[in-house]
Amino acid sequence: MNSSAHRAALVGLLATLILVIAAVAVPPLLGWQVWTRVHIEDGTFPPLHGFPEVKAGIGTVLAVLLALASLRWADSVASELPWRRLLVVAYAVGLVWLLSLALVDGTEGISGVLGSPSEYLGTARAVDDVGGLLREYVARIPYDAPAGNWPVHIAGHPPGMVLFFVLLVKVGLGGDLAAGLVVTVIAATLAPAVMTTVRVLGSEARARAAAPYLVLTPSAVFLAVSADAVMAATAAWGICCLALACRGGPRHGWPWAVVAGLLLGYLVMMSYGLPLVGVLALAVLWLGSSRRWGRARGWWVLPVAAVSALGVVLVFATGGFAWWEAYPVLVDRYWDGLASRRPGAYWTWGNLAALAISAGPLVGAGIGAAWASRRDLEDRVVVVLVAAALIMIALADASQMSRAEVERIWLPFMPWLTLGCALLPERWRRPGLALQLATALLVEHLLHTSW
């Protein structure tokens, strides 16, 4: 199995690197204008939403030192620490990794994106009537809305995300830097949530093996500066609660099932694309119903969580925002904008290259290793979760509603795909982690990524 995993991992890595190279090289070589950005005067760098910019800053030294220390100690820490202490260390190291990369741009690296006029904070600061916001939300999505259209990110998402920032404003954390720090603190919980899910589903060894790749992910470049990180964390903790509900059974697990439904229901109110996380939820329920707990210990969670999630959606509908009415309006606005100029012939596969850069090219090797391990019962948890991630990504890509910018839009899918790295042969681990760390450092120091 080790030799077959090695071959499959090598094929996956090479395919991923070829995909990335092609996505970067094809547009300039063939003269394609793929419209990664609205304003292209400063240049572009497809498939990422940004342009070349060499830089260094106060976070550079810390990021490099952390990368070097991780190459030396990450595996031993992940394998030897008691579980609860490992979660604390994973959170702390992840937070430092996020902050150090963001601070390569100085404090602007944390505050700049959220302070953009196209983001949520400007609108959140102006909200003094949440009911009014919900009632007028759908009417202001179109470009030709009589009362004026919402900024890009408000129009492109349900109101759950802007309400999160309204809450930050109300509690005194509505400044650009303060809000950026809150997002970063939440983003750092992503790895512990995924690790806990894998352990609860019965694979602590694989959760530990995945820890360095989850914590020191290249996605940190985008997690620390994007509201999508909050969505990713909400999804991860919702899925984690589903796993905890399965383990607890109907008698002890129902509170976890309710919380899972509330989180996943609110997730649907954060992004029109994240009902796709339902694929991952079904995978977790299947795993929870097919292991030692017995079948009755898994599927009972589905109706409880579904009712809880539906309750969130109906509360928003009662307040004036009906998801099912808003989505068709959003589709029209999406195709009235820059998306219509972005060629599907490029972005259908260019999106996958952007994903590979954001999650790190080692995920291709991880997919190969998961394929090689597909018949190994001990690796079933990771294989199923990676498969669910691939299905979510394939569906999102096929929808054509994510042409470009997926380095942040698909952040909720990336940690589950990264789990495949836990199945890599031992000789891959340190070089693989080095590749991931180098990817993060190069992207942060050589590109202005816009997120």
Side-chain angles (χ1 to χ4, degrees):
M1 175 60 71
N2 195 55
S3 60
S4 63
H6 171 71
R7 289 193 298 271
L10 186 60
V11 170
L13 177 60
L14 290 176
T16 303
L17 292 174
I18 291 170
L19 175 68
V20 171
I21 292 169
V24 173
V26 165
L29 287 176
L30 299 185
W32 290 1
Q33 177 49 263
V34 296
W35 292 101
T36 51
R37 302 167 61 243
V38 177
H39 303 293
I40 59 175
E41 294 81 4
D42 295 328
T44 60
F45 189 82
L48 299 185
H49 190 278
F51 53 86
E53 181 183 75
V54 179
K55 58 185 183 294
I58 59 175
T60 298
V61 174
L62 181 58
V64 171
L65 289 176
L66 180 58
L68 293 174
S70 298
L71 286 175
R72 172 64 179 83
W73 289 296
D75 271 343
S76 59
V77 168
S79 62
E80 295 172 8
L81 278 185
W83 178 255
R84 291 184 181 179
R85 193 177 301 172
L86 174 61
L87 290 181
V88 173
V89 170
Y91 177 80
V93 173
L95 182 60
V96 174
W97 181 236
L98 288 162
L99 290 172
S100 63
L101 289 171
L103 289 172
V104 170
D105 293 301
T107 56
E108 179 73 10
I110 299 172
S111 64
V113 172
L114 294 179
S116 167
S118 65
E119 287 278 350
Y120 302 93
L121 268 178
T123 300
R125 290 169 184 149
V127 172
D128 54 13
D129 179 6
V130 170
L133 172 75
L134 295 179
R135 288 189 295 272
E136 68 178 2
Y137 207 90
V138 176
R140 293 184 61 181
I141 292 175
Y143 278 111
D144 59 357
N149 63 72
W150 295 120
V152 172
H153 284 269
I154 310 296
H157 295 82
M161 201 67 247
V162 72
L163 290 181
F164 168 80
F165 285 101
V166 169
L167 176 62
L168 292 189
V169 171
K170 299 303 182 185
V171 299
L173 295 172
D176 294 353
L177 181 59
L181 288 172
V182 170
V183 167
T184 306
V185 166
I186 292 173
T189 70
L190 188 54
V194 176
M195 291 163 58
T196 301
T197 301
V198 175
R199 180 178 186 262
V200 168
L201 290 172
S203 192
E204 180 177 330
R206 293 310 185 192
R208 289 177 176 274
Y213 306 104
L214 292 169
V215 172
L216 298 161
T217 172
S219 300
V221 173
F222 307 97
L223 285 166
V225 295
S226 171
D228 294 77
V230 178
M231 303 178 200
T234 302
W237 284 110
I239 293 299
C240 183
C241 289
L242 280 183
L244 289 166
C246 290
R247 184 177 68 177
R251 182 177 179 182
H252 301 291
W254 68 264
W256 290 116
V258 172
V259 173
L262 292 175
L263 287 172
L264 296 176
Y266 198 80
L267 181 69
V268 172
M269 293 295 103
M270 287 177 157
S271 171
Y272 294 105
L274 290 183
L276 290 174
V277 173
V279 174
L280 185 62
L282 291 175
V284 168
L285 294 179
W286 182 79
L287 289 167
S289 67
S290 60
R291 65 186 299 276
R292 66 179 182 273
W293 303 325
R295 294 190 178 278
R297 300 292 290 273
W299 289 112
W300 71 269
V301 176
L302 181 58
V304 177
V307 169
S308 182
L310 182 61
V312 176
V313 175
L314 293 179
V315 165
F316 274 85
T318 302
F321 175 85
W323 192 99
W324 51 90
E325 293 176 357
Y327 182 71
V329 182
L330 176 274
V331 171
D332 289 339
R333 166 149 177 172
Y334 184 76
W335 292 112
D336 286 342
L338 187 61
S340 61
R341 302 167 72 180
R342 289 170 168 164
Y346 173 79
W347 285 109
T348 300
W349 57 276
N351 278 346
L352 302 179
L355 166 72
I357 296 172
S358 182
L362 194 68
V363 296
I367 294 169
W371 173 258
S373 302
R374 66 192 183 280
R375 293 188 177 90
D376 191 333
L377 290 179
E378 292 184 4
D379 295 331
R380 179 177 56 181
V381 170
V382 170
V383 170
V384 170
L385 294 177
V386 170
L390 287 171
I391 293 170
M392 292 188 292
I393 290 164
L395 291 172
D397 202 31
S399 75
Q400 294 293 300
M401 290 294 290
S402 300
R403 288 188 181 178
E405 306 178 35
V406 299
E407 62 266 25
R408 64 163 183 85
I409 296 172
W410 289 355
L411 285 171
F413 309 147
M414 293 181 196
W416 308 99
L417 193 64
T418 302
L419 282 174
C421 297
L423 303 179
L424 290 170
E426 185 64 30
R427 58 177 160 166
W428 277 74
R429 291 192 60 81
R430 185 168 294 178
L433 183 59
L435 176 62
Q436 294 291 86
L437 293 165
T439 299
L441 292 171
L442 289 172
V443 169
E444 181 60 52
H445 287 85
L446 300 182
L447 297 173
H448 175 91
T449 60
S450 301
W451 308 114

